[in-house]
Amino acid sequence: MCGMLEEVLIAGFGGQGVLSLGKLIAQAAMEQGLNASWLPSYGPEMRGGTANCTVCFSDDEIGAPIAAQYDAVIAMNQPSLDKFEKAVRPGGVLLINRSIISVEPERSDIEVHYITANDLAESVAGTAAAANVVALGALHAVRPRLETGSLEAALQSTFGRKGQKVVDANIRALHAGMDAMAETLA
Amino acid sequence: MQAKRRLVKGNEAIALGAVAGGCDAFFGYPITPQNEVPEILSQEMPRHGRVFLQAESEVASINMVYGAAAAGMRAMSSSSSPGISLMMEGMSYIAGAELPCLVVNVMRGGPGLGSITPSQADYFQACKGGGHGDYRCFVMAPWNVQEMYSFPGIAFEMADRYRNPAMILADGVLGQMMEPAAIPDELPVVTRPDKPWATNGRNGRGQKNVANSLVIDPYELRDHNRKLQAKYAAMQAECKWDTRLVEDAEILVVAYGIAARLAYSACKLARKRGIRAGLFRPITLFPFPTQPLVETADGAKSVLAVELSSGQMVEDVRLAINGRLPVTLYGEMGGVIPSPSEVCDRIVEAAK
């Protein structure tokens, strides 16, 4: 036990695959033998079409499935950035979906990264529906807390029922996010 | 055989756990945030040749539970706070008639229709009667998805053993969250006690069985109540609890269910700030683990109760501690979930 604990918040419009993205992370953590929790927002904040979820994973027993601030926040749309910029822990990561968010965050005590998630999803998977998986790849590139193989296994077990073509498109989306971020960082 | 871990929702785990625990019949009426329970059971129960019925109301549901329980079935309902209130008359009748059943409450904010966000404000209702008359339910409080799966079976066993209603007191977070849980693909073999009292036809018996909670003669009713009270006293032997980080704890935090998860994280944060905090978690709320709490608190400087209510469980904590140590409360209301760091601040205050 090294007591690793990672807490992530993901937010966006309903339909952007925000809840599924959280489940993928929890699934990947489970695939590599870690403990994980996933909690969707199901209260009044869902009204108006925004959705968010929190995911925690650890090699230790997980206490709270929520936190005051998170190691990483993925903002898939503008209202999510407005609402959750303050939810990033100092020194933590804020990943912004550049395809639909044009403004800059205000904080200077956090690490900010951009990914054109919708555009990349359309070009490698043929649909913006895979933007969530592109964002997952991008986060994985800047904060590799899970193994790439576990993320791929999670995509396989999540999308396997829809056929290998769908799985492959999502694996391409994952790597598109990872590669684009690696280029930016280089 | 070790069951494979699967990522499942708490509500889904309750439903699968009920099936694995031998639930014969489910009657319920939809309400957020527990709707996955009937949703899953509407598929699973018929698949196993069991009864699933969406009733016309909560009042109808609990009376169907009453009937099925009287006939010797493992009968169950599930709801959330306002729906549970509607069931209280039936619960009292079931307790009076000494019938086993299971009712799950995935609590939400109240009073009234309140909100759909998580709460623990139904502790009094679950543990101190809820309906009219001197009766108690056997009440269990899970704190993770694995326990959401395993507790229905245990609750059915306890209900059968004591011929008494059992409740599982969960909340919106536990119902909605997903965690890995070990859930076997095959249903386990469930052993059931004989129910010679069941009103399932005379079957050659000399006497006829009657399920009833009406006892007109006051002396007879007094004797019946004495029998019930003796049963609740005997239930004390079944109390369950859990601890974390208590060996050297100067501040003992007492919390159940989701509040215990927040409190556990808060204890770890407090230790980073140099305060030795530990967690005592009641697993059965009735019977409340009074003696184990007293023993665990021995050596602590003070006790902090954390719950998502104005302070209900804290009364049982104070009764247990009985003035030996200061007992303070952090209660959050209205469906608001405090963060572990907010709970930690209260631990720091309690340590001053």
Side-chain angles (χ1 to χ4, degrees), chain B residues 85-103:
Chain B
S85 289
L86 286 166
M87 294 185 186
M88 283 298 117
E89 180 200 42
M91 290 288 276
S92 171
Y93 280 43
I94 293 168
E98 289 197 88
L99 296 173
C101 71
L102 170 60
V103 173

Side-chain angles (χ1 to χ4, degrees), chain A residues 10-36:
Chain A
I10 304 139
F13 290 126
Q16 278 187 308
V18 161
L19 302 186
S20 317
L21 171 48
K23 278 189 213 174
L24 282 169
I25 296 173
Q27 179 78 27
M30 185 183 73
E31 300 269 358
Q32 66 182 72
L34 300 172
N35 290 315

Side-chain angles (χ1 to χ4, degrees), chain B residues 144-166:
Chain B
N144 61 25
V145 172
Q146 188 68 55
E147 289 186 348
M148 295 283 265
Y149 174 74
S150 60
F151 282 10
I154 300 170
F156 272 128
E157 256 182 67
M158 288 298 153
D160 278 348
R161 184 176 302 168
Y162 291 94
R163 287 183 58 183
N164 199 67

